[in-house]
Amino acid sequence: MQEERNWAGNYRYSAEELFEPERVEQLQEWVAKRHRIKALGSRHSFNSIADTPGSLVSLKKMSRVLELDRTRGTVTVEGGIRYGELASYLHANQYALHNLASLPHITIAGACATGTHGSGDRNGNLATAVRSVEIVTSSGEAVVYTRGEQPEADGAMVSLGALGVVSKLTLDIVPSFDISQRLFENIALSQLESHFDDVFSSAYSVSLFTDWKSEHFNQVWLKCLVGEEDPFAEDEFYGATRATVPLHPVPGISAEPCSEQLGKRGPWHERLPHFRMEFTPSAGEELQSEYFVPRSQAYAALETIYKLREQFAPHLYTSEVRSIAADPLWMSPSYDRDSVGIHFTWKPHGEAVERVLPLIEAALEPYEARPHWAKLFAMAPERLKSLYEKRLDFQKLAASCDPQGKFRNSFLERYLW
Ligand SMILES: Cc1cc2nc3c(=O)[nH]c(=O)nc-3n(C[C@H](O)[C@H](O)[C@H](O)COP(=O)(O)OP(=O)(O)OC[C@H]3O[C@@H](n4cnc5c(N)ncnc54)[C@H](O)[C@@H]3O)c2cc1C
């Protein structure tokens, strides 16, 4: 196999082959014959979670929409489709998904497998929209888990790639909606002490960005539902001032790749991601980390990070703070608690990032911070395991789908078993 790397280029897969089936039967036959396998999505994860010493399989040739069921309010897709592709289809049919991540280029299966999220204090992560998944398990058999029908279904939606290859997903859909995106500049960290919930409940999706170079968050991104009363017609938002030109989350960079701002209304799929689908970054000169803390302790956690800023800020492009509703999905970082994600987009300073992550993690330890599965972290396996009370149930589910451990890799062995 030619050298294959992840999107950021910081990780080189060690697999011997990469298979791209066109039909589920081909996939089933191939899976049954291999010893070590891992499914690969759009390669946007930053660590070794998608790697295997054996064979990689990509479903990029299996990316069709299979069925739109208006009565049940669902859409069924093949396992290789990306959010951007499905979003255009749904919008053309007057439907939407409840939420999207910051970029639309990622696959639905890969994003859900790692608990990927957008923002919104009432919005669960993207996997909460999964009604059912079809998984090709180690024998080659396709097994379906449906929310509410089997108790283990709650373990199958954020699957970390450990159960098999997700070949089909059925997702909840909602009627299409419009969003207008408004940005404000320079909100003081101190405003969040008494107004954290006010700020995060003030729009359908809210993100704060900071480079931690001052006591202010550089930007507030409010993605407001058109039709809801607009409380932000004012020029001020908790002391922040309305942005009068489009902004990129990283100060000083052109806003051209960003989704439309300045309050211009538009369809959900062109406003919920921060970046446009037609802007296709080939490779990212960046690394990422993210930690999830209980929403009730988010301000204290942010203050703690602020005190460390001199040590990590030189290596940072920007940090983003988002809100994610609690969910019942066993391996989800927002399992059973309303959460706030504190995200770091790092410059490609690998060694420095490795040095500062333990400092950040030590500071966040009192808040039981769970790291994003697909991003960089340094946490000791025993500590990480202790943060997931359903881990042993997940192990049992994985063993029933994959008794031989075909879908295990060193990442999963380290953090789950
Ligand atoms: C620029 C950028 C922006 C990002 N923005 C966000 C964001 O806003 N919010 C957020 O939470 N995260 C974000 N991420 C992280 C990203 O969502 C995750 O890395 C996600 O896993 C990417 O999906 P993927 O298709 O690239 O998966 P991959 O990296 O290819 O794989 C990730 C995992 O999914 C598994 N997997 C993939 N496909 C399948 C399948 N068909 N069946 C079974 N398992 C499968 C793999 O085995 C692996 O375990 C971002 C990453 C980047 C690079």
Side-chain angles (χ1 to χ4, degrees):
M1 184 174 95
Q2 70 180 71
E3 181 178 292
E4 301 280 356
R5 287 185 174 264
N6 65 345
W7 173 86
N10 69 308
Y11 189 82
R12 181 170 169 262
Y13 302 107
S14 57
E16 290 164 353
E17 62 167 341
L18 174 62
F19 177 57
E20 294 181 353
E22 292 175 16
R23 288 173 294 106
V24 71
E25 297 78 16
Q26 265 179 324
L27 171 66
Q28 290 177 280
E29 200 179 307
W30 181 86
V31 165
K33 287 189 190 140
R34 293 295 179 287
H35 298 294
R36 302 297 293 273
I37 304 172
K38 208 76 202 155
L40 191 58
S42 50
R43 310 175 183 211
H44 283 80
S45 50
F46 290 85
N47 57 36
S48 60
I49 191 169
D51 202 6
T52 171
S55 309
L56 281 171
V57 56
S58 159
L59 301 195
K60 71 198 260 197
K61 294 182 183 158
M62 290 174 55
S63 60
R64 289 173 308 158
V65 176
L66 298 174
E67 189 192 4
L68 177 66
D69 188 332
R70 294 173 195 270
T71 313
R72 291 175 65 216
T74 58
V75 66
T76 299
V77 294
E78 287 185 315
I81 196 168
R82 295 172 188 240
Y83 275 102
E85 295 159 352
L86 175 61
S88 305
Y89 168 88
L90 286 178
H91 178 62
N93 285 283
Q94 286 92 49
Y95 284 101
L97 297 170
H98 81 295
N99 210 351
L100 292 170
S102 68
L103 87 172
H105 307 84
I106 52 181
T107 70
I108 298 179
C112 292
T114 57
T116 291
H117 62 96
S119 192
D121 62 351
R122 283 168 290 160
N123 293 326
N125 71 26
L126 303 187
T128 60
V130 181
R131 182 91 56 105
S132 68
V133 270
E134 176 187 272
I135 303 180
V136 174
T137 58
S138 62
S139 61
E141 186 194 357
V143 176
V144 176
Y145 290 100
T146 302
R147 188 204 307 145
E149 286 186 13
Q150 305 113 305
E152 319 86 90
D154 283 341
M157 307 316 183
V158 177
S159 69
L160 310 174
L163 308 184
V165 184
V166 171
S167 45
K168 219 193 264 184
L169 301 105
T170 297
L171 307 170
D172 295 329
I173 51 176
V174 295
S176 191
F177 54 91
D178 280 354
I179 293 279
S180 78
Q181 184 160 239
R182 289 142 206 273
L183 271 60
F184 290 82
E185 292 187 90
N186 296 320
I187 186 169
L189 175 58
S190 57
Q191 283 281 353
L192 300 178
E193 184 170 10
S194 40
H195 295 298
F196 193 92
D197 289 340
D198 300 325
V199 167
F200 275 90
S201 62
S202 60
Y204 187 74
S205 166
V206 177
S207 290
L208 303 186
F209 288 95
T210 178
D211 55 12
W212 298 101
K213 288 192 177 143
S214 74
E215 275 184 67
H216 285 79
F217 280 79
N218 310 85
Q219 300 169 14
V220 184
W221 290 43
L222 301 176
K223 297 174 193 270
C224 308
L225 269 187
V226 171
E228 280 195 345
E229 198 187 339
D230 179 4
F232 315 115
E234 306 298 323
D235 284 338
E236 201 182 304
F237 177 75
Y238 295 101
T241 48
R242 179 185 291 281
T244 51
V245 292
L247 299 174
H248 190 284
V250 180
I253 294 192
S254 158
E256 206 186 330
C258 298
S259 51
E260 187 94 33
Q261 303 168 18
L262 302 179
K264 193 172 166 206
R265 66 184 280 176
W268 60 284
H269 65 301
E270 293 178 3
R271 297 292 182 280
L272 288 176
H274 303 328
F275 299 102
R276 299 173 194 264
M277 183 66 178
E278 63 273 21
F279 170 76
T280 310
S282 55
E285 295 288 305
E286 66 182 57
L287 300 170
Q288 296 186 8
S289 305
E290 186 169 21
Y291 298 94
F292 300 84
V293 298
R295 195 184 288 162
S296 55
Q297 292 174 281
Y299 174 72
L302 290 171
E303 258 200 322
T304 310
I305 301 276
Y306 178 70
K307 290 185 189 134
L308 283 179
R309 69 191 182 285
E310 281 175 15
Q311 298 179 66
F312 67 78
H315 309 295
L316 191 74
Y317 282 127
T318 189
S319 259
E320 180 177 10
V321 180
R322 286 176 283 184
S323 178
I324 308 105
D327 62 62
L329 307 178
W330 296 352
M331 300 313 292
S332 161
S334 38
Y335 172 76
D336 205 26
R337 64 187 200 197
D338 286 331
S339 300
V340 164
I342 306 175
H343 162 92
F344 302 83
T345 301
W346 303 109
K347 295 173 185 168
H349 299 175
E351 284 177 19
V353 171
E354 265 176 44
R355 268 199 318 275
V356 298
L357 288 181
L359 304 179
I360 293 173
E361 292 178 5
L364 290 179
E365 194 172 328
Y367 311 104
E368 309 227 306
R370 297 172 179 153
H372 194 303
W373 287 112
K375 302 184 183 178
L376 298 176
F377 57 89
M379 198 170 281
E382 290 315 312
R383 171 69 183 160
L384 203 163
K385 288 176 195 171
S386 74
L387 297 168
Y388 284 91
E389 64 185 76
K390 289 288 194 180
R391 182 179 62 91
L392 296 180
D393 293 312
F394 184 74
Q395 273 189 11
K396 274 191 217 141
L397 175 60
S400 72
C401 292
D402 180 22
Q404 306 100 315
K406 275 188 191 185
F407 293 100
R408 287 205 214 170
N409 59 12
S410 51
F411 180 97
L412 295 176
E413 304 269 358
R414 190 167 152 78
Y415 297 112
L416 286 177
W417 268 271

